[in-house]
Amino acid sequence: MMKTESSFVGKKRDALGDGEKMIRKKCCRRPTKHRSPSTIVQQLYDTCREVFKGPGTVPPPCDVEKMKLVLDKMKAEDFWISKDLPFFNSDNASDGTPRITYATIYQSENFSLCIFFLPQKAVIPLHNHPGMTVFSKLLLGSMHIKAYDWVDPSKSDDLVPSSEPRLARLEVDSNFTASSGTSILYPTAGGNIHSFTALTPCAVLDVMGPPYSKEEDRDCTYYKEFPYSNFSESATEVKDDCSYGLLKAIDVPNDLKMKPVEYMGPQFVETC
């Protein structure tokens, strides 16, 4: 069943707005080209059903490549997204913090599809994806992505995040545009803990399998980053040619504003 709220912030309702629905005329503009967006959205849904087998599984390389081939060719107009959408208006920042809007396209036990709309300078802070494989495709604009993996991944599945800072390896620290390829992260690799900073108004599609679920111990944890300095006791693990940071689990940032809206883009046929 399609849901109007994403599990990405399932336990963090205080960070959300009141869930107002989009006005159809403003949120979706039908493409002027003859290409049918619903065809590629249907292909995305069908591929997700093939690739994601449920909690506790990670797609094999052949399935990862299959998903990447579909996402790499996706564009903003495939979802009737344009830079004129009201979500990209930074005037919604009453206290200087731009509000992020998101629309859940689909969610099941095995995977979810969600689009995040970030005004310029909006930030989704460092957060993790426990036990999840995530494909992120920037559809519009440019953003900076910073991502870490734990140096000791054996503790990455701890149900209660440690209150002490943990050593993490910097995996990604780059700018991305809509022409960039799909970013992929895994349960313990590929930059499982990442942040998004909008350099311009952005729309990013997240494909997550399995989705967040507090009931199944896949809740979202946010982190604060501290500079890495002398960490001599783990010198055997640390290489001079890598960058590191210390990450500490924190409560949901007070200035994080995320508002769910109804998905009003191209439809697709759900199959059993």
Side-chain angles (χ1 to χ4, degrees):
M1 292 293 291
M2 193 173 299
K3 298 185 178 180
T4 57
E5 282 195 30
S6 166
S7 292
F8 174 73
V9 285
K11 73 172 183 179
K12 304 171 176 61
R13 295 181 180 270
D14 291 342
L16 302 179
D18 56 8
E20 296 175 5
K21 294 184 179 180
M22 287 187 281
I23 299 175
R24 182 179 297 271
K25 291 183 180 179
K26 291 185 178 181
C27 73
C28 304
R29 299 190 177 187
R30 293 184 180 276
T32 57
K33 298 182 179 180
H34 294 295
R35 181 183 182 189
S36 172
S38 59
T39 302
I40 193 168
V41 175
Q42 183 71 52
Q43 184 182 8
L44 173 63
Y45 169 79
D46 292 340
T47 304
C48 286
R49 283 184 51 83
E50 295 176 13
V51 168
F52 294 111
K53 307 301 183 184
T57 65
V58 176
C62 59
D63 283 347
V64 169
E65 185 61 24
K66 182 186 300 183
M67 178 65 70
K68 187 175 183 300
L69 287 173
V70 174
L71 289 169
D72 280 348
K73 62 186 179 183
M74 302 201 86
K75 300 179 180 180
E77 53 262 36
D78 294 323
F79 296 93
W80 304 345
I81 296 172
S82 80
K83 62 181 180 181
D84 299 323
L85 292 180
F87 313 136
F88 298 131
N89 189 348
S90 57
D91 291 342
N92 65 29
S94 58
D95 60 354
T97 303
R99 183 178 60 203
I100 298 163
T101 306
Y102 65 95
T104 301
I105 302 172
Y106 176 84
Q107 182 165 311
S108 68
E109 292 183 356
N110 289 354
F111 67 92
S112 66
L113 307 172
C114 188
I115 298 177
F116 292 87
F117 303 91
L118 289 77
Q120 187 173 10
K121 298 183 179 179
V123 177
I124 298 180
L126 282 171
H127 60 280
N128 68 347
H129 306 79
M132 301 159 65
T133 302
V134 182
F135 297 78
S136 297
K137 178 64 177 76
L138 188 59
L139 302 172
L140 181 75
S142 60
M143 69 164 43
H144 185 85
I145 298 179
K146 193 170 189 178
Y148 287 91
D149 283 320
W150 297 122
V151 168
D152 180 7
S154 63
K155 297 181 180 180
S156 62
D157 292 329
D158 289 351
L159 300 185
V160 180
S162 172
S163 60
E164 295 298 320
R166 288 179 57 191
L167 184 63
R169 181 186 303 105
L170 182 64
E171 299 290 347
V172 180
D173 192 11
S174 303
N175 294 340
F176 290 77
T177 68
S179 62
S180 301
T182 302
S183 299
I184 307 167
L185 62 84
Y186 302 90
T188 59
N192 185 275
I193 303 169
H194 69 192
S195 66
F196 292 162
T197 301
L199 304 178
T200 68
C202 294
V204 58
L205 170 66
D206 264 7
V207 180
M208 298 182 280
Y212 285 107
S213 172
K214 185 175 182 180
E215 292 73 20
E216 297 182 6
D217 298 318
R218 290 190 308 277
D219 207 358
C220 179
T221 301
Y222 289 93
Y223 294 89
K224 183 176 180 179
E225 175 187 10
F226 296 91
Y228 164 75
S229 55
N230 298 328
F231 202 77
S232 57
E233 61 264 37
S234 292
T236 56
E237 298 180 22
V238 176
K239 300 178 181 179
D240 294 335
D241 60 349
C242 294
S243 295
Y244 293 82
L246 293 172
L247 305 185
K248 181 179 180 179
I250 60 173
D251 292 333
V252 130
N254 292 329
D255 59 351
L256 177 60
K257 299 178 180 179
M258 303 189 74
K259 177 182 176 182
V261 293
E262 183 181 0
Y263 172 67
M264 302 291 286
Q267 299 300 305
F268 53 90
V269 178
E270 297 183 29
T271 56
C272 299

